[in-house]
């Protein structure tokens, strides 16, 4: 149960604070606790109140991670929290509000990736998705894209073509969940390659 998982996790934290480096919790330990909270919905004997307690614990776990220097939340953390919310709250206004709150926190932390975006889109209404995502999007080469601040901490950068040459920037993800900056760069590189091939053929007198 999530209660037992939390007891184990707290023992690890206590032992580590007492100098036992062997039980130092890593990010997978935090994720395991959030998953345990999600599974509270699978327990037939779990009351609605217990399921709410599980969700509160999952949220508190992420808050604790935000205070950590080594185990800060990543995109996977937010994906797990979204899934936890979906599992533990019945469909309705309360769940929609909680999902929006989690998504906005993920945006603020710059950790929106394709999985988080797709999970959010799959469980909220079209109106909510439009208000939270599409409304905030900007145009990138004719494609509606997320603000780059939403993807700034994903841990990688993509190459794009500019007038001054190739540059690197934060991942650019469309509102449909596709990484489009790297595609734009690859298309440009392919056009240049074919241009060089055609130029060689013309210089050699062959078509």
């Amino acid at each position: 149960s999530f209660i037992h998982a939390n007891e184990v996790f707290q023992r690890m934290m206590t032992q580590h604070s007492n100098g036992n480096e062997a039980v130092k919790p890593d990010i997978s330990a935090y994720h395991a606790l959030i998953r345990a909270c999600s599974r509270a919905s699978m327990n037939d004997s779990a009351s609605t109140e217990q399921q709410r307690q599980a969700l509160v614990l999952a949220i508190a776990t992420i808050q604790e991670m935000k205070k950590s220097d080594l185990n800060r939340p990543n995109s996977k953390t937010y994906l797990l929290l979204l899934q936890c919310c979906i599992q533990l709250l019945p469909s309705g206004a309360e769940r929609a509000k909680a999902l929006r709150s989690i998504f906005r926190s993920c945006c603020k932390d710059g950790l929106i990736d394709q999985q988080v975006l797709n999970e959010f889109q799959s469980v909220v209404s079209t109106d909510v998705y439009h208000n939270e995502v599409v409304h905030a999007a900007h145009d990138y080469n004719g494609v509606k894209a997320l603000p780059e601040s939403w993807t700034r901490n994903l841990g990688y950068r993509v190459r794009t073509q500019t007038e001054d040459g190739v540059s690197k920037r934060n991942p650019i993800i469309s509102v449909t969940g596709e990484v489009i900056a790297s595609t734009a760069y690859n298309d440009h590189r392919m056009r240049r390659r074919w241009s060089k091939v055609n130029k060689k053929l013309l210089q050699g007198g062959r078509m």
Side-chain angles (χ1 to χ4, degrees):
S1 69
F2 73 94
I3 296 174
H4 175 69
N6 187 42
E7 290 173 349
V8 172
F9 183 82
Q10 294 305 323
R11 283 200 298 269
M12 290 175 63
M13 294 287 284
T14 300
Q15 290 179 30
H16 177 253
S17 65
N18 289 335
N20 188 351
E21 288 294 323
V23 295
K24 180 180 180 179
D26 58 11
I27 196 166
S28 63
Y30 286 91
H31 286 176
L33 180 55
I34 297 173
R35 287 192 181 95
C37 292
S38 291
R39 288 195 292 272
S41 64
M42 302 177 186
N43 186 350
D44 293 335
S45 62
S47 65
T48 301
E49 181 58 31
Q50 286 176 317
Q51 292 189 28
R52 290 182 181 278
Q53 290 175 1
L55 181 58
V56 168
L57 175 58
I59 294 170
T61 300
I62 282 197
Q63 296 303 323
E64 189 66 30
M65 292 175 74
K66 289 186 176 185
K67 301 175 186 177
S68 170
D69 293 329
L70 299 176
N71 295 309
R72 295 188 65 80
N74 58 22
S75 296
K76 181 69 173 179
T77 314
Y78 278 105
L79 177 65
L80 291 172
L81 187 58
L82 283 173
Q83 293 170 342
C84 189
C85 181
I86 294 165
Q87 291 290 332
L88 297 174
L89 289 179
S91 180
E94 183 182 13
R95 187 170 83 172
K97 182 179 179 180
L99 291 170
R100 287 198 303 271
S101 177
I102 295 167
F103 184 79
R104 289 173 182 175
S105 182
C106 190
C107 292
K108 184 178 179 180
D109 286 350
L111 291 169
I112 298 293
D113 67 1
Q114 295 135 296
Q115 287 184 296
V116 170
L117 187 66
N118 290 336
E119 188 75 27
F120 184 68
Q121 184 178 20
S122 71
V123 294
V124 298
S125 68
T126 301
D127 286 344
V128 168
Y129 191 76
H130 187 276
N131 290 336
E132 295 293 328
V133 179
V134 180
H135 183 71
H138 67 275
D139 182 80
Y140 178 83
N141 290 344
V143 178
K144 284 282 190 180
L146 306 183
E148 287 185 55
S149 61
W150 291 10
T151 64
R152 70 186 186 280
N153 289 323
L154 290 181
Y156 70 96
R157 291 169 69 81
V158 294
R159 293 179 296 180
T160 59
Q161 182 64 31
T162 67
E163 293 180 357
D164 299 323
V166 176
S167 65
K168 287 190 174 183
R169 64 193 297 174
N170 295 324
I172 301 175
I173 301 176
S174 73
V175 295
T176 58
E178 298 175 80
V179 177
I180 55 179
S182 56
T183 302
Y185 172 78
N186 289 334
D187 288 346
H188 167 79
R189 189 170 58 176
M190 186 63 69
R191 286 195 298 271
R192 285 191 62 189
R193 183 178 299 170
W194 277 109
S195 177
K196 288 180 180 180
V197 170
N198 290 336
K199 186 176 182 180
K200 287 181 179 180
L201 287 173
L202 290 170
Q203 289 175 342
R206 291 175 296 181
M207 294 296 289

